[in-house]
Amino acid sequence: QVVNYPAMRGAFGVVLAAHAISHVPDSFNIHVDHEEKQHWAAQKSKMMCPVCVFSVSSVLNRTTPESSDDHVADMVETVCSEQHLSRLVMEDDYSIRMLPVDGSDQRSDLRKRWQTHAMVEVCSEFVAPLDDDVVAASRSGGSDAQAVAFSVCKRARACKHIDKIELSQCASRMCLRTKLKVKCF
């Protein structure tokens, strides 16, 4: 039997193009959005660790000993939602902070949309597949959710350039020590 590989590549390319198109927000305007979209697309590798640790620790903080494995897995699915991640602000130094309770946000709508979009994609790519690891971590009973989350994300290689997590140096912000310096999230 003869397989037509060029035809298969062409069909595969169409599937990839359709997949890429589906990941663009409905309000995309190439003349307005393109530069901001490209900026945050290029930053995805730098936001993997903080987004992963925040998302996994968020799930772990909401689990109880009575939480079923299915419930924890469902929480992992929903943690990557735009609604959940839009409450985060990623600073230029890749530190992450939560929006204030009053919801005031100094970012432009354009920056907020594409920053959130990039975080949702990173979360979907790195956190959603970790549901079994997060379920196992929730069963381990570790009291420090961020340290357990960091361990899960480190094993998943989302935090491959981070040596350890340090919570004490930055008060309530999450700190990750790289080989060069401490970054606070």
Side-chain angles (χ1 to χ4, degrees), residues 24-25 27-44 47 89-92 94 106-119 121:
V24 175
S27 61
F28 182 74
N29 178 335
I30 191 141
H31 303 293
V32 176
D33 295 283
H34 183 71
E35 189 174 322
E36 192 73 20
K37 175 189 177 296
Q38 293 303 102
H39 170 74
W40 289 105
Q43 306 309 315
K44 284 182 181 180
M47 56 173 69
V89 176
M90 177 143 315
E91 303 295 349
D92 291 334
Y94 306 103
Q106 303 301 319
R107 299 175 295 170
S108 70
D109 288 341
L110 184 67
R111 183 178 188 124
K112 185 182 346 179
R113 178 174 51 245
W114 287 106
Q115 191 178 76
T116 301
H117 180 77
M119 287 191 284
E121 284 189 343

Side-chain angles (χ1 to χ4, degrees), residues 115-134:
Q115 191 178 76
T116 301
H117 180 77
M119 287 191 284
V120 167
E121 284 189 343
V122 165
C123 188
S124 296
E125 292 169 14
F126 282 93
V127 178
L130 299 177
D131 58 343
D132 291 338
D133 295 324
V134 176

